[in-house]
Amino acid sequence: MKLRHLMTGAALAALSATLSAPAAFAERGSDGQLNILYWQAISIMTPYLSNGTKDLQAASLVLEPLARYDEKGDLVPFLAEGIPTVENGGVSKDLLTITWKLKDGLVWSDGTPVTADDAVFTWQYCTHPDGGCAQASNFSDVKSVEAVDPRTIKVTFDVPKPFPYGPLVGAQAPIIQKAQFADCLGPKAPECTKANTYPIGTGPFRVVDFKANDVVTLEANPKYRDPAKPAFATAVIKGGGDPASAARSVLETGEYDFAWNTQVEPEILAQMVAAGKGEVLSAFGTLLERLQVNQTDPDPALGAERSTVAHPHPFLTDERVVKALSLAIDREILVETGYGEAGKSTCNFIPAPEMNVSPNNDWCKTQDLEGAKKLLDEAGWTVGSDGIRQKDGKKLSILYQTSTNSVRQAAQALIKQWWEEIGVAVELRNIDASVFFGGDPGSPDTLQKFYADVEMYANEFDGTDPEKYLGEWTCGEIPAPDTQWQGGNTSRWCNKDFDATMAELAKTSGLEERAKVIIKANDLIVNSPSIIPLVHRGRLSAASKTLGGVKMNAWDSELWNAADWYRLK
């Protein structure tokens, strides 16, 4: 694909060949221990209860989907024998069904067989009406999932689906074991601590010890389908520290083999690389650093109803106010000081691939402080004697939160300075990344709870078609107490025109026609008061020069092919 579309025939059929791996090791477990650093420590081992990329990627070592995206953005089979298409009969001509065939002989790490019933259960688990699922958008428009026989899974949609590769595809939507999660449906899901931290999977590793927000210890899955893999007998994912210390542990000291998300100032990273122990891996996909703008009121005085749709935000629902905040930002300075060649200024929510990038929003790329001031004037916000704007007795004051990270704190300081220049009072807050990106419904500090006015983080989507990702912005995806604060629409923005556009996208075929609808959806988001796009980021990680087989992937989990990693001799 990149996106090779359903209708392209032979090109997509070629994807049904299974992944090949270098024959660099002779037997499973021969290369000792794999040491991995995720400075945003792992909170949970399932993507279904976390919006954190760190948790999704860690879980991908254990839980696997039917298919996922390789380093080129192409769809490749994992638990499935091949990729269903119209041409091979796997997708019905009316585009209402897709039928997958599991590989023969698949077993879970406990030795029991993987069956189509597990796939059916996974759909039921994530779409339970009384629960909350972080990846519900992957199952949009699914009418049913049925087990035709033990190895055959049939997904039926409510509407024709020109792009049917959402359910059970990609690192965001792996298959979970029915037997382990049977008592974890709906509101019980977050209570199943053992299942959520020690999932039984089909991946190359299995969890043997889990310490939340600290360290995960894994061992080679003795039941993994390739008897020669993984090369490593054990793997440790250590959390804590910061991007600089994580990068240093691979590039300078050589203590670790792989460090994820080395979001470090470019000049500092270059100095570390000079030590010669490792290399920086980079790839541009769809990763967007952004400011999410709360459309609901986070006032603590509202108690249990704070940051819920029951109480609209007192001023951030005004498009003029949010556009002023956006115009005040110099994105080129953010790129220069925090990202270097690994960043590009952007005004779009969908920054890639190129055919899906809107040409309509470049107005934000040039800082315009006077234009920002004018917009606030027009909105009725006047400057008081203290330099802070006010309206109807209320000051224009913002609580701006993000995760603890030197690049993000530097960006916060710059943005605070620019906003103060236009008369906005700003309070900064940073939260430990393991907590901020965690899925604990009881924590007040997660990005989903959003107990602030503005929050900054980065997010992306699997593959190159953004239908699932855009679907997270529909009205039904707003986090709330009754969904255990799960849902991708963290800004709490609800727009009927956008929901209608997503319904249109769901039934639109052809790459060019889909791109038109994707751009329309993108423009509705970025011209709403719910988001301020900042930087199109490249993924940056570090790998030891003694580690082989790593293929940097910007379209799926960076650990997507860890079964193929090995120690260079």
Side-chain angles (χ1 to χ4, degrees):
M1 289 180 211
K2 226 196 225 84
L3 261 201
R4 287 192 180 92
H5 198 268
L6 233 185
M7 315 303 284
T8 60
L12 204 148
L15 296 177
S16 58
T18 57
L19 286 173
S20 60
F25 42 88
E27 61 182 32
R28 176 181 295 155
S30 59
D31 284 344
Q33 182 163 294
L34 173 66
N35 294 307
I36 301 174
L37 250 178
Y38 271 60
W39 60 270
Q40 294 178 13
I42 311 307
S43 304
I44 198 168
M45 289 292 287
T46 168
Y48 291 117
L49 296 178
S50 176
N51 282 305
T53 302
K54 63 187 179 71
D55 299 327
L56 180 153
Q57 295 200 11
S60 73
L61 289 174
V62 178
L63 300 173
E64 297 180 305
L66 293 170
R68 67 184 350 150
Y69 297 90
D70 68 11
E71 78 280 10
K72 298 176 183 178
D74 292 333
L75 195 60
V76 292
F78 261 61
L79 297 184
E81 281 188 341
I83 305 298
T85 68
V86 170
E87 288 80 2
N88 65 26
V91 176
S92 62
K93 291 183 180 180
D94 61 8
L95 308 182
L96 286 172
T97 67
I98 181 170
T99 303
W100 297 86
K101 192 81 169 180
L102 290 170
K103 289 178 178 176
D104 190 24
L106 288 175
V107 295
W108 296 102
S109 58
D110 65 359
T112 58
V114 178
T115 73
D117 286 336
D118 294 302
V120 174
F121 175 80
T122 302
W123 164 65
Q124 294 170 338
Y125 172 91
C126 191
T127 58
H128 194 282
D130 299 325
C133 178
Q135 311 302 337
S137 64
N138 288 271
F139 298 92
S140 294
D141 300 318
V142 174
K143 181 179 181 180
S144 66
V145 179
E146 56 187 302
V148 178
D149 60 46
R151 289 179 53 208
T152 306
I153 303 155
K154 182 179 181 180
V155 180
T156 301
F157 299 97
D158 287 318
V159 296
K161 275 287 194 182
F163 189 84
Y165 307 112
L168 309 173
V169 172
Q172 296 177 345
I175 295 178
I176 57 175
Q177 189 192 57
K178 178 180 179 179
Q180 184 181 33
F181 285 88
D183 296 326
C184 304
L185 291 169
K188 294 182 180 179
E191 301 171 6
C192 292
T193 304
K194 185 66 180 290
N196 293 333
T197 53
Y198 291 79
I200 295 167
T202 56
F205 293 93
R206 64 181 182 181
V207 180
V208 294
D209 190 46
F210 184 90
K211 293 182 174 62
N213 300 323
D214 184 10
V215 62
V216 184
T217 305
L218 307 100
E219 66 180 6
N221 176 4
K223 304 296 183 180
Y224 189 60
R225 55 189 172 275
D226 187 328
K229 299 175 183 178
F232 292 98
T234 58
V236 173
I237 307 176
K238 183 71 177 74
D242 54 38
S245 62
R248 187 173 295 110
S249 69
V250 173
L251 301 174
E252 286 188 350
T253 69
E255 298 171 80
Y256 283 82
D257 299 307
F258 182 86
W260 168 77
N261 191 14
T262 52
Q263 189 182 0
V264 181
E265 292 81 353
E267 65 276 9
I268 296 175
L269 206 57
Q271 293 171 8
M272 294 180 185
V273 171
K277 296 265 180 98
E279 59 182 343
V280 173
L281 308 176
S282 64
F284 273 95
T286 60
L287 188 61
L288 176 72
E289 189 82 11
R290 84 288 295 277
L291 295 172
Q292 297 281 146
V293 184
N294 202 339
Q295 299 299 284
T296 61
D297 194 343
D299 187 348
L302 295 173
E305 292 188 347
R306 67 188 298 204
S307 286
T308 67
V309 294
H311 302 279
H313 198 282
F315 56 83
L316 289 177
T317 57
D318 188 331
E319 292 178 6
R320 295 167 297 182
V321 172
V322 177
K323 186 171 184 178
L325 296 175
S326 183
L327 281 174
I329 296 170
D330 190 329
R331 288 163 174 78
E332 289 301 325
I333 288 181
L334 294 181
V335 170
E336 180 183 343
T337 58
Y339 302 95
E341 294 183 0
K344 306 171 185 176
S345 63
T346 187
C347 306
N348 283 312
F349 178 64
I350 302 296
E354 189 62 33
M355 69 179 306
N356 293 334
V357 177
S358 173
N360 306 320
N361 305 304
D362 286 350
W363 58 266
C364 87
K365 288 187 176 180
T366 301
Q367 184 187 44
D368 185 359
L369 293 172
E370 293 307 313
K373 292 175 184 177
K374 184 178 179 181
L375 280 170
L376 293 176
D377 290 340
E378 292 173 357
W381 291 91
T382 58
V383 180
S385 58
D386 58 357
I388 305 303
R389 290 179 181 265
Q390 53 189 349
K391 179 181 179 181
D392 300 329
K394 184 174 184 63
K395 290 194 173 184
L396 191 54
S397 179
I398 288 175
L399 173 59
Y400 168 14
Q401 70 180 20
T402 189
S403 61
T404 304
N405 172 321
S406 64
V407 172
R408 288 202 168 118
Q409 270 66 80
Q412 273 188 308
L414 286 167
I415 292 172
K416 172 183 168 74
Q417 175 187 327
W418 293 322
W419 284 354
E420 287 176 341
E421 289 184 41
I422 63 172
V424 181
V426 183
E427 178 186 350
L428 300 181
R429 181 174 183 237
N430 66 80
I431 301 165
D432 181 272
S434 300
V435 176
F436 184 67
F437 293 109
D440 182 0
S443 171
D445 296 324
T446 62
L447 68 88
Q448 297 101 312
K449 279 283 183 70
F450 204 171
Y451 285 169
D453 301 296
V454 173
E455 63 184 6
M456 181 170 65
Y457 61 91
N459 206 352
E460 61 197 332
F461 57 90
D462 285 347
T464 52
D465 188 286
E467 182 178 341
K468 297 179 294 181
Y469 185 59
L470 287 165
E472 294 179 356
W473 284 70
T474 56
C475 299
E477 281 287 305
I478 294 175
D482 60 357
T483 67
Q484 291 82 52
W485 299 99
Q486 297 297 339
N489 190 347
T490 54
S491 288
R492 284 81 158 145
W493 176 65
C494 183
N495 183 283
K496 292 181 180 179
D497 288 340
F498 179 80
D499 282 18
T501 301
M502 289 309 301
E504 180 185 357
L505 179 60
K507 60 186 180 183
T508 300
S509 61
L511 289 177
E512 291 184 3
E513 292 305 310
R514 284 181 69 80
K516 291 176 184 177
V517 184
I518 288 166
I519 288 171
K520 178 181 176 182
N522 173 90
D523 290 355
L524 283 168
I525 292 175
V526 301
N527 289 294
S528 78
S530 62
I531 191 171
I532 300 175
L534 297 173
V535 179
H536 177 199
R537 287 175 45 189
R539 280 192 181 180
L540 277 181
S541 292
S544 168
K545 288 186 176 179
T546 70
L547 184 63
V550 180
K551 294 181 179 179
M552 184 62 169
N553 192 335
W555 309 105
D556 205 285
S557 168
E558 289 184 31
L559 306 179
W560 73 287
N561 75 326
D564 299 334
W565 294 9
Y566 58 94
R567 182 73 62 203
L568 291 167
K569 307 302 182 184

